[in-house]
Amino acid sequence: VPELPEVETVRKTLQDLILQKTVRDIDVFYDRIIRRNTPQEFKSILEGRTITDIGRYGKYLLIHFDDITLVSHLRMEGKFYYKEADNPKEKHEHIIFYFTNGMTLRYHDTRKFGTMDIVQTNDLYSEKSPLSNLGLEPFDKRATVTYFQQKIRNKRIPVKGILLDQTILTGLGNIYVDEVLFLSHLHPETKATELTKLDIKNILLNSTKVLNKAIKLGGTTIRSYTSSLGVTGRFQNELYVHMRKGEKCKVCNTEIVKSKVVGRGTYICPKCQKPTR
DNA sequence: CGTGTCACCTGACAGC
DNA sequence: TGCTGTCAGGTGACAC
């Protein structure tokens, strides 16, 4: 459940389920998910508090308890489930929040890559927060061509690496980067230094389009073993290239090919995305 | 400072 | 059936 549209879908679902719920108790079964506090501190800070809002920035989920915020990153496989307290603990449930109404919120993470940080709400975008180094979301009004150009100054890595770098734009992951590059007619190996103003304009426009459409469809569900909290999206039917190796390009009928770019599985249409123009 | 590599974990799947 | 290697929608630490 990792890229911006999937996290947004989780946010909306949680908003309906856990707003105004009060935490009675917390069980932590795997310590390393909690980064800035010991599990004991984590428990004592949150127990007795009431959830006042659920937000999101980039791929981070923000569970607000008034003046403090639980900043959660789902990484590769993090999921939240909302269940009755008497449900048995499942193998990959690592943190369980017990609410005063007899329900629980359970953090489930097969690979244990996810993270949680407690931050003062006032410090959310300061150095004390994991959000401090993130770039703008693509649909932010301030995410202009000039902003992007300034961020990629001195960078000569492939454009795929640029779009995966959360300190430049935040929210895109491997799926949506492949889609944005396809829609922008850009080969993923194109060097950042070779991007024209028009290329950047296209990248920003297509990032916004793809993310908004994916949010509308509830995100993308690929390789999802279980249907997590509100995360059975429908955007997978809209994909042009990602996960479509061997299938025909929806625009020109050429076969989609898979390669590796900046260490990541990468899908392109070799006709629509030429290396040089 | 920028870039490349590896580490963090577990499970699914392909090939022998 | 096993075993082994590879891969997975992400990021952070580290060496150069």
PDB file of all heavy atoms in Angstrom, chain A residues 158-176:
ATOM      1  N   PRO A 158      19.341   9.264 -14.193  1.00  0.00           N
ATOM      2  CA  PRO A 158      18.202   9.103 -15.104  1.00  0.00           C
ATOM      3  C   PRO A 158      16.922   9.718 -14.526  1.00  0.00           C
ATOM      4  O   PRO A 158      16.746   9.759 -13.302  1.00  0.00           O
ATOM      5  CB  PRO A 158      18.047   7.587 -15.229  1.00  0.00           C
ATOM      6  CG  PRO A 158      19.352   7.019 -14.826  1.00  0.00           C
ATOM      7  CD  PRO A 158      19.935   7.965 -13.829  1.00  0.00           C
ATOM      8  N   VAL A 159      16.044  10.152 -15.406  1.00  0.00           N
ATOM      9  CA  VAL A 159      14.789  10.801 -14.987  1.00  0.00           C
ATOM     10  C   VAL A 159      13.956   9.879 -14.099  1.00  0.00           C
ATOM     11  O   VAL A 159      13.247  10.338 -13.209  1.00  0.00           O
ATOM     12  CB  VAL A 159      13.976  11.289 -16.218  1.00  0.00           C
ATOM     13  CG1 VAL A 159      13.549  10.124 -17.106  1.00  0.00           C
ATOM     14  CG2 VAL A 159      12.755  12.091 -15.778  1.00  0.00           C
ATOM     15  N   LYS A 160      14.070   8.575 -14.286  1.00  0.00           N
ATOM     16  CA  LYS A 160      13.334   7.658 -13.406  1.00  0.00           C
ATOM     17  C   LYS A 160      13.766   7.856 -11.957  1.00  0.00           C
ATOM     18  O   LYS A 160      12.936   7.869 -11.050  1.00  0.00           O
ATOM     19  CB  LYS A 160      13.566   6.208 -13.845  1.00  0.00           C
ATOM     20  CG  LYS A 160      13.037   5.186 -12.839  1.00  0.00           C
ATOM     21  CD  LYS A 160      12.141   4.159 -13.417  1.00  0.00           C
ATOM     22  CE  LYS A 160      11.552   3.292 -12.315  1.00  0.00           C
ATOM     23  NZ  LYS A 160      10.662   2.260 -12.800  1.00  0.00           N
ATOM     24  N   GLY A 161      15.093   7.992 -11.750  1.00  0.00           N
ATOM     25  CA  GLY A 161      15.611   8.228 -10.401  1.00  0.00           C
ATOM     26  C   GLY A 161      15.162   9.562  -9.839  1.00  0.00           C
ATOM     27  O   GLY A 161      14.901   9.690  -8.638  1.00  0.00           O
ATOM     28  N   ILE A 162      15.043  10.548 -10.715  1.00  0.00           N
ATOM     29  CA  ILE A 162      14.567  11.874 -10.295  1.00  0.00           C
ATOM     30  C   ILE A 162      13.140  11.779  -9.749  1.00  0.00           C
ATOM     31  O   ILE A 162      12.825  12.324  -8.696  1.00  0.00           O
ATOM     32  CB  ILE A 162      14.609  12.860 -11.501  1.00  0.00           C
ATOM     33  CG1 ILE A 162      16.056  13.120 -11.940  1.00  0.00           C
ATOM     34  CG2 ILE A 162      13.864  14.156 -11.195  1.00  0.00           C
ATOM     35  CD1 ILE A 162      16.884  13.918 -10.969  1.00  0.00           C
ATOM     36  N   LEU A 163      12.290  11.060 -10.473  1.00  0.00           N
ATOM     37  CA  LEU A 163      10.881  10.980 -10.060  1.00  0.00           C
ATOM     38  C   LEU A 163      10.669  10.092  -8.833  1.00  0.00           C
ATOM     39  O   LEU A 163       9.674  10.234  -8.119  1.00  0.00           O
ATOM     40  CB  LEU A 163      10.009  10.511 -11.218  1.00  0.00           C
ATOM     41  CG  LEU A 163       9.952  11.460 -12.417  1.00  0.00           C
ATOM     42  CD1 LEU A 163       8.921  10.995 -13.427  1.00  0.00           C
ATOM     43  CD2 LEU A 163       9.647  12.890 -11.992  1.00  0.00           C
ATOM     44  N   LEU A 164      11.607   9.169  -8.583  1.00  0.00           N
ATOM     45  CA  LEU A 164      11.503   8.334  -7.387  1.00  0.00           C
ATOM     46  C   LEU A 164      12.057   9.056  -6.160  1.00  0.00           C
ATOM     47  O   LEU A 164      11.792   8.656  -5.024  1.00  0.00           O
ATOM     48  CB  LEU A 164      12.262   7.010  -7.587  1.00  0.00           C
ATOM     49  CG  LEU A 164      11.606   5.980  -8.507  1.00  0.00           C
ATOM     50  CD1 LEU A 164      12.567   4.840  -8.798  1.00  0.00           C
ATOM     51  CD2 LEU A 164      10.314   5.442  -7.905  1.00  0.00           C
ATOM     52  N   ASP A 165      12.833  10.114  -6.385  1.00  0.00           N
ATOM     53  CA  ASP A 165      13.462  10.856  -5.289  1.00  0.00           C
ATOM     54  C   ASP A 165      12.413  11.736  -4.590  1.00  0.00           C
ATOM     55  O   ASP A 165      11.943  12.726  -5.155  1.00  0.00           O
ATOM     56  CB  ASP A 165      14.599  11.715  -5.856  1.00  0.00           C
ATOM     57  CG  ASP A 165      15.351  12.464  -4.766  1.00  0.00           C
ATOM     58  OD1 ASP A 165      14.832  12.596  -3.643  1.00  0.00           O
ATOM     59  OD2 ASP A 165      16.469  12.929  -5.064  1.00  0.00           O
ATOM     60  N   GLN A 166      12.067  11.366  -3.368  1.00  0.00           N
ATOM     61  CA  GLN A 166      10.976  12.046  -2.657  1.00  0.00           C
ATOM     62  C   GLN A 166      11.342  13.454  -2.202  1.00  0.00           C
ATOM     63  O   GLN A 166      10.468  14.204  -1.776  1.00  0.00           O
ATOM     64  CB  GLN A 166      10.529  11.205  -1.455  1.00  0.00           C
ATOM     65  CG  GLN A 166      10.080   9.799  -1.834  1.00  0.00           C
ATOM     66  CD  GLN A 166       8.857   9.786  -2.713  1.00  0.00           C
ATOM     67  OE1 GLN A 166       7.798  10.270  -2.325  1.00  0.00           O
ATOM     68  NE2 GLN A 166       8.981   9.228  -3.919  1.00  0.00           N
ATOM     69  N   THR A 167      12.621  13.816  -2.285  1.00  0.00           N
ATOM     70  CA  THR A 167      13.005  15.176  -1.885  1.00  0.00           C
ATOM     71  C   THR A 167      12.792  16.167  -3.032  1.00  0.00           C
ATOM     72  O   THR A 167      12.906  17.375  -2.846  1.00  0.00           O
ATOM     73  CB  THR A 167      14.474  15.244  -1.416  1.00  0.00           C
ATOM     74  OG1 THR A 167      15.340  15.048  -2.547  1.00  0.00           O
ATOM     75  CG2 THR A 167      14.773  14.197  -0.353  1.00  0.00           C
ATOM     76  N   ILE A 168      12.497  15.650  -4.230  1.00  0.00           N
ATOM     77  CA  ILE A 168      12.216  16.527  -5.369  1.00  0.00           C
ATOM     78  C   ILE A 168      10.700  16.702  -5.478  1.00  0.00           C
ATOM     79  O   ILE A 168      10.184  17.779  -5.245  1.00  0.00           O
ATOM     80  CB  ILE A 168      12.826  15.943  -6.657  1.00  0.00           C
ATOM     81  CG1 ILE A 168      14.363  15.859  -6.502  1.00  0.00           C
ATOM     82  CG2 ILE A 168      12.447  16.798  -7.869  1.00  0.00           C
ATOM     83  CD1 ILE A 168      15.070  15.105  -7.592  1.00  0.00           C
ATOM     84  N   LEU A 169      10.005  15.631  -5.847  1.00  0.00           N
ATOM     85  CA  LEU A 169       8.545  15.595  -5.763  1.00  0.00           C
ATOM     86  C   LEU A 169       8.223  14.422  -4.853  1.00  0.00           C
ATOM     87  O   LEU A 169       8.886  13.395  -4.910  1.00  0.00           O
ATOM     88  CB  LEU A 169       7.912  15.338  -7.136  1.00  0.00           C
ATOM     89  CG  LEU A 169       7.998  16.444  -8.183  1.00  0.00           C
ATOM     90  CD1 LEU A 169       7.393  15.955  -9.500  1.00  0.00           C
ATOM     91  CD2 LEU A 169       7.279  17.703  -7.713  1.00  0.00           C
ATOM     92  N   THR A 170       7.190  14.539  -4.044  1.00  0.00           N
ATOM     93  CA  THR A 170       6.855  13.432  -3.155  1.00  0.00           C
ATOM     94  C   THR A 170       5.496  12.841  -3.503  1.00  0.00           C
ATOM     95  O   THR A 170       4.563  13.567  -3.847  1.00  0.00           O
ATOM     96  CB  THR A 170       6.926  13.847  -1.672  1.00  0.00           C
ATOM     97  OG1 THR A 170       6.784  12.681  -0.874  1.00  0.00           O
ATOM     98  CG2 THR A 170       5.845  14.847  -1.313  1.00  0.00           C
ATOM     99  N   GLY A 171       5.429  11.523  -3.486  1.00  0.00           N
ATOM    100  CA  GLY A 171       4.171  10.840  -3.742  1.00  0.00           C
ATOM    101  C   GLY A 171       4.238   9.764  -4.803  1.00  0.00           C
ATOM    102  O   GLY A 171       3.507   8.793  -4.744  1.00  0.00           O
ATOM    103  N   LEU A 172       5.116   9.961  -5.789  1.00  0.00           N
ATOM    104  CA  LEU A 172       5.242   8.959  -6.851  1.00  0.00           C
ATOM    105  C   LEU A 172       6.126   7.813  -6.386  1.00  0.00           C
ATOM    106  O   LEU A 172       7.145   8.044  -5.739  1.00  0.00           O
ATOM    107  CB  LEU A 172       5.871   9.576  -8.105  1.00  0.00           C
ATOM    108  CG  LEU A 172       5.136  10.716  -8.795  1.00  0.00           C
ATOM    109  CD1 LEU A 172       6.004  11.272  -9.917  1.00  0.00           C
ATOM    110  CD2 LEU A 172       3.804  10.248  -9.345  1.00  0.00           C
ATOM    111  N   GLY A 173       5.756   6.574  -6.739  1.00  0.00           N
ATOM    112  CA  GLY A 173       6.595   5.410  -6.509  1.00  0.00           C
ATOM    113  C   GLY A 173       6.803   4.702  -7.832  1.00  0.00           C
ATOM    114  O   GLY A 173       6.517   5.263  -8.893  1.00  0.00           O
ATOM    115  N   ASN A 174       7.263   3.481  -7.774  1.00  0.00           N
ATOM    116  CA  ASN A 174       7.657   2.783  -9.004  1.00  0.00           C
ATOM    117  C   ASN A 174       6.528   2.626 -10.022  1.00  0.00           C
ATOM    118  O   ASN A 174       6.749   2.762 -11.218  1.00  0.00           O
ATOM    119  CB  ASN A 174       8.246   1.422  -8.638  1.00  0.00           C
ATOM    120  CG  ASN A 174       9.189   0.912  -9.699  1.00  0.00           C
ATOM    121  OD1 ASN A 174       9.854   1.694 -10.390  1.00  0.00           O
ATOM    122  ND2 ASN A 174       9.242  -0.399  -9.865  1.00  0.00           N
ATOM    123  N   ILE A 175       5.318   2.359  -9.568  1.00  0.00           N
ATOM    124  CA  ILE A 175       4.189   2.202 -10.509  1.00  0.00           C
ATOM    125  C   ILE A 175       3.918   3.501 -11.246  1.00  0.00           C
ATOM    126  O   ILE A 175       3.907   3.555 -12.473  1.00  0.00           O
ATOM    127  CB  ILE A 175       2.866   1.862  -9.781  1.00  0.00           C
ATOM    128  CG1 ILE A 175       2.925   0.525  -9.065  1.00  0.00           C
ATOM    129  CG2 ILE A 175       1.692   1.879 -10.759  1.00  0.00           C
ATOM    130  CD1 ILE A 175       1.623   0.191  -8.350  1.00  0.00           C
ATOM    131  N   TYR A 176       3.672   4.557 -10.479  1.00  0.00           N
ATOM    132  CA  TYR A 176       3.222   5.812 -11.081  1.00  0.00           C
ATOM    133  C   TYR A 176       4.335   6.519 -11.839  1.00  0.00           C
ATOM    134  O   TYR A 176       4.063   7.235 -12.806  1.00  0.00           O
ATOM    135  CB  TYR A 176       2.562   6.704 -10.016  1.00  0.00           C
ATOM    136  CG  TYR A 176       1.335   6.033  -9.415  1.00  0.00           C
ATOM    137  CD1 TYR A 176       1.305   5.637  -8.086  1.00  0.00           C
ATOM    138  CD2 TYR A 176       0.236   5.744 -10.213  1.00  0.00           C
ATOM    139  CE1 TYR A 176       0.191   4.984  -7.555  1.00  0.00           C
ATOM    140  CE2 TYR A 176      -0.874   5.096  -9.699  1.00  0.00           C
ATOM    141  CZ  TYR A 176      -0.898   4.710  -8.365  1.00  0.00           C
ATOM    142  OH  TYR A 176      -1.989   4.058  -7.852  1.00  0.00           O
TER     143      TYR A 176
END
